[in-house]
Amino acid sequence: MNGLEQIKKRTGFTLIEVITTIFIMSLLMMLVLPNVNRIRQFAEKKQSEAFCHHVQNQVDLFKGQYPGYDVSLPSLAEHGFMSKAQVEQFEREKLILRGDQVKRPE
């Protein structure tokens, strides 16, 4: 009897168990990954909108402090209303500064 018990005792997983586990994991990944990408795109869009509002606030502050000056990226950076990194992000996002309004490209 002792030898028969040792034969029936398993030491690993069967092929069916491994395939089933891989199938379930891949199914879960197929359900999760599209949601992760959608959330990332939503966060990037919100961050871009927040940056646009921030730049608009900086333009408004500039106009309040220097009413006679024309608003431009160099003048905003020169007077300390925008940092070099913000100017680079402004150009990267291809925002448009018309008069005293910040607009997104259409």
Side-chain angles (χ1 to χ4, degrees), residues 54 58 61-62 65-66 75-77 79-83 86:
H54 174 73
Q58 296 303 91
L61 288 171
F62 180 85
Q65 192 166 355
Y66 302 101
S75 63
L76 287 170
H79 290 90
F81 286 89
M82 288 181 72
S83 68
Q86 289 172 326

Side-chain angles (χ1 to χ4, degrees), residues 8-92:
K8 287 187 176 185
K9 192 174 186 181
R10 296 188 322 190
T11 58
F13 295 106
T14 64
L15 182 60
I16 297 296
E17 290 170 335
V18 171
I19 290 174
T20 303
T21 304
I22 291 172
F23 174 75
I24 290 171
M25 289 174 60
S26 63
L27 186 63
L28 288 172
M29 292 302 291
M30 287 173 45
L31 294 172
V32 168
L33 283 180
N35 290 331
V36 170
N37 288 334
R38 190 174 355 177
I39 290 169
R40 183 181 310 130
Q41 290 171 348
F42 179 76
E44 288 172 358
K45 180 182 174 191
K46 286 297 180 183
Q47 187 273 335
S48 180
E49 289 174 3
F51 180 72
C52 185
H53 288 295
H54 174 73
V55 172
Q56 183 63 55
N57 288 337
Q58 296 303 91
V59 168
D60 294 340
L61 288 171
F62 180 85
K63 288 295 284 183
Q65 192 166 355
Y66 302 101
Y69 284 78
D70 288 332
V71 180
S72 65
L73 281 181
S75 63
L76 287 170
E78 179 183 326
H79 290 90
F81 286 89
M82 288 181 72
S83 68
K84 183 179 178 183
Q86 289 172 326
V87 171
E88 290 172 359
Q89 185 176 356
F90 185 92
E91 293 168 349
R92 223 179 12 254

Side-chain angles (χ1 to χ4, degrees), residues 93-96 103-106:
E93 293 192 19
K94 299 176 182 165
L95 296 175
I96 301 167
K103 302 203 183 234
R104 308 193 124 284
E106 297 181 22

